[in-house]
Amino acid sequence: MSELASGPVNGSHSNGAADVMSDGEIPYDYDLLVIGGGSGGLACSKEAAHLGKRVAVCDFVSPSPQGTTWGLGGTCVNVGCIPKKLMHQSALLSEAVQDSEHYGWEPHPNLKHSWTKLIEGIQDHIGSLNWGYKVALRTAGVEYLNMKSSFVDPHTVACKDRKGKEVRKTAANFVIAVGCRPKYPDIPGAKEYGITSDDLFSLPNPPGKTLVVGASYIALECGGFLSSLGFETHIMARSVFLRGFDQELAEMIASYMEDHGSNMIRQCIPTKLEKLDSGRVKCTYKHLLSGMELSDDFDTVLFAIGREACTNTLGLDSAGVRVDMETGKIDAEAEQSNVPHIYAIGDVLLGKPELTPVAIQAGKLLAQRMFGGGTTQMDYVNVPTTVFTPLEYGCCGLSEEVAATKYGEDDIEVYLSYFKPLEWTLPHRDDNRCFAKIITRTSDSERVVGFHILAPNAGEITQGYSVAIKCGMTKEHLDATVGIHPTIAEEFTTMAITKRSGRDAKKTGC
């Protein structure tokens, strides 16, 4: 790694004025200026401040086309993981209410859901987190600049507040942690009449009949909880669901959602949105195979077709930072851009997982290497994640498709099992809709290279097993582990059927 403007990355980094002197002996304002106040940027800034450095965080949220904005904390806290999981929990409670009668509970005659109360609760919680982040920065000694920044030169940024007042700040080092924002399709009416996940979690009125455009995890998560909350929900997918994930499980998710109330509009794309006199939005769309043009009216149209890096207004060309022309993301080696004192972490990095815990860990480790003599690099391999669809999908490692391509089909073994959680038996819910899969590499002592589960609480289960995968878990380790009965997680300790065998992996009994 190249040297920083104010000292070596892995060597000693002295405190004092030397840290903030430019070539012309004019002191910089900061040792480190972090652009972006999301999870990664906050973690990096606080770690650097803890190591005795002068640090500032510059964060500004540009309103969505619908005018939505939010406070400090980034996507995860405000319009991502946190409100999404709370919406998911509300949807799960809907299922629990339906199941409860089978467990002896008398149904409540006046039980109904209030969208307004849910939104108020979520926004109150988010507000408390926004305040907590401000306090945490103040406590750590990090200066918070609620301003939009762009590079003027490699060591200077122009910062503008909401009123347009500009100040210039200099720093010896920069970390870009601006993340991504949702994309809109290039069709008439998209930005005028459509919304994205930036707007959904603060929507003041119930969404009503909703069209979700997209096949991403955001599309399926949002479509899933809206359907479970009782709203007529349609999900329009151009091609495959959950591209990049294991496609066997992706299709299982889509099938489960379709069987439980979500309407799937496959192989179609929207071509136009129009506002009707009734207040509804008319969506005209095209079937890709037949070319047939169709239309339907909705109360809400939600786009979840991907995200784009927020780099186009940063003035990175003025700093000499190269970005990928197609995505706008920064191609960095060990989070270091082609300009040695400018770094990037989180979703803005090219080819790295767009996950909050990844940004947090990378930010902390980067600050330790920059200012604390640390040497540990961020490990982007075997990062666990969960898609919070109605039936959760947790995974760690490779999909079956990627494993077969990487190692060859003859060098992998795929173990699988269908099952039904005990909790589903009294309500007589679906048999064999839950699914477990592990992919092992035969020539490497059957080391587990892919872990996949479709089941309730998949996130909790995957987090535990991901530790073992990091430690090199093999099929023998799983076979030697005594399961906890009756649990879902024990399924992985008894898997004996391989896909290659052709045997039926469905089961009955406990």
Side-chain angles (χ1 to χ4, degrees):
M1 184 178 288
S2 303
E3 289 189 350
L4 297 167
S6 55
V9 174
N10 296 324
S12 61
H13 199 294
S14 62
N15 292 315
D19 291 342
V20 291
M21 297 296 285
S22 67
D23 295 337
E25 298 300 313
I26 300 172
Y28 293 120
D29 295 318
Y30 310 104
D31 294 298
L32 174 66
L33 194 151
V34 178
I35 303 175
S39 302
L42 294 177
C44 182
S45 66
K46 288 185 288 185
E47 187 69 18
H50 176 71
L51 293 168
K53 301 305 163 187
R54 299 179 62 195
V55 184
V57 169
C58 201
D59 183 68
F60 185 89
V61 179
S62 298
S64 74
Q66 297 300 326
T68 308
T69 187
W70 51 86
L72 182 64
T75 295
C76 173
V77 168
N78 294 282
V79 291
C81 318
I82 297 302
K84 176 268 301 288
K85 184 70 181 294
L86 293 173
M87 289 268 188
H88 175 63
Q89 175 63 15
S90 182
L92 293 180
L93 289 173
S94 172
E95 294 182 347
V97 167
Q98 296 172 42
D99 290 351
S100 65
E101 188 176 353
H102 300 279
Y103 280 91
W105 291 94
E106 293 292 334
H108 194 292
N110 298 318
L111 193 64
K112 61 181 181 180
H113 184 267
S114 171
W115 174 268
T116 302
K117 189 168 185 178
L118 175 61
I119 292 296
E120 287 176 352
I122 289 173
Q123 289 303 313
D124 285 348
H125 178 62
I126 290 173
S128 70
L129 295 176
N130 296 148
W131 173 254
Y133 289 133
K134 288 182 181 180
V135 171
L137 288 182
R138 189 183 308 124
T139 302
V142 177
E143 185 177 352
Y144 168 48
L145 304 170
N146 185 202
M147 304 175 115
K148 189 175 184 66
S149 60
S150 61
F151 282 94
V152 176
D153 62 48
H155 284 281
T156 308
V157 289
C159 304
K160 287 185 179 181
D161 65 16
R162 295 184 186 278
K163 297 180 180 179
K165 181 181 178 181
E166 179 178 307
V167 296
R168 297 201 172 191
K169 298 290 184 178
T170 61
N173 307 287
F174 292 86
V175 170
I176 299 169
V178 293
C180 299
R181 294 287 290 269
K183 292 180 180 178
Y184 283 83
D186 186 17
I187 61 172
K191 291 186 177 180
E192 291 84 357
Y193 309 124
I195 67 169
T196 69
S197 55
D198 279 358
D199 312 292
L200 178 63
F201 303 112
S202 58
L203 207 62
N205 298 312
K209 180 183 176 182
T210 301
L211 171 66
V212 179
V213 180
S216 65
Y217 73 92
I218 295 174
L220 294 183
E221 287 175 339
C222 292
F225 65 65
L226 288 175
S227 182
S228 295
L229 292 175
F231 301 107
E232 181 182 342
T233 306
H234 302 252
I235 301 174
M236 183 181 292
R238 180 185 61 184
S239 55
V240 301
F241 294 99
L242 295 176
R243 185 178 301 278
F245 288 86
D246 191 287
Q247 283 302 292
E248 185 173 22
L249 282 98
E251 274 302 318
M252 288 180 180
I253 292 170
S255 175
Y256 182 88
M257 291 178 63
E258 202 162 20
D259 290 345
H260 288 78
S262 296
N263 302 288
M264 298 299 183
I265 306 173
R266 297 170 183 260
Q267 296 180 318
C268 290
I269 57 170
T271 57
K272 180 171 58 176
L273 296 188
E274 300 171 89
K275 192 78 165 183
L276 302 177
D277 292 339
S278 64
R280 279 192 158 188
V281 176
K282 178 182 178 181
C283 177
T284 302
Y285 59 96
K286 181 174 70 174
H287 188 266
L288 293 174
L289 294 183
S290 67
M292 184 182 298
E293 189 172 87
L294 305 159
S295 68
D296 199 355
D297 303 345
F298 301 92
D299 296 301
T300 302
V301 176
L302 171 71
F303 293 111
I305 60 172
R307 299 173 67 80
E308 54 192 358
C310 301
T311 55
N312 61 338
T313 62
L314 289 180
L316 294 178
D317 53 340
S318 296
V321 177
R322 291 195 297 266
V323 298
D324 179 70
M325 295 301 293
E326 183 178 348
T327 64
K329 293 193 172 190
I330 298 171
D331 190 4
E333 180 75 23
E335 294 84 49
Q336 187 176 40
S337 77
N338 62 294
V339 180
H341 67 278
I342 299 178
Y343 298 77
I345 57 173
D347 295 3
V348 79
L349 280 176
L350 183 65
K352 299 297 188 289
E354 296 182 8
L355 298 167
T356 293
V358 170
I360 292 172
Q361 181 120 323
K364 288 181 178 178
L365 292 175
L366 176 59
Q368 290 165 8
R369 294 198 308 275
M370 291 173 72
F371 304 120
T375 58
T376 304
Q377 298 285 348
M378 177 63 195
D379 184 0
Y380 293 98
V381 178
N382 289 331
V383 174
T385 190
T386 293
V387 182
F388 289 99
T389 38
L391 196 55
E392 295 179 11
Y393 169 30
C395 59
C396 183
L398 305 179
S399 67
E400 183 178 345
E401 294 86 359
V402 172
T405 300
K406 184 173 182 178
Y407 300 121
E409 291 189 5
D410 292 340
D411 195 22
I412 65 170
E413 199 70 79
V414 180
Y415 295 84
L416 41 84
S417 174
Y418 294 87
F419 60 96
K420 178 178 183 176
L422 178 64
E423 294 84 352
W424 285 16
T425 55
L426 296 192
H428 305 290
R429 291 174 65 179
D430 305 347
D431 290 332
N432 291 301
R433 293 304 289 267
C434 295
F435 184 69
K437 173 195 279 192
I438 59 168
I439 305 154
T440 67
R441 188 180 183 193
T442 308
S443 64
D444 190 11
S445 303
E446 280 213 284
R447 179 173 58 88
V448 175
V449 296
F451 174 99
H452 304 269
I453 181 167
L454 184 64
N457 301 307
E460 309 295 340
I461 295 166
T462 304
Q463 182 68 83
Y465 276 108
S466 68
V467 177
I469 292 172
K470 276 286 188 183
C471 296
M473 179 176 74
T474 64
K475 182 62 167 64
E476 185 179 4
H477 290 138
L478 287 170
D479 294 341
T481 300
V482 176
I484 301 172
H485 188 69
T487 64
I488 293 171
E490 70 173 316
E491 199 67 30
F492 291 95
T493 67
T494 59
M495 298 177 79
I497 297 177
T498 66
K499 183 173 283 190
R500 198 188 309 273
S501 73
R503 293 166 55 197
D504 188 357
K506 295 178 180 178
K507 63 167 65 70
T508 59
C510 67

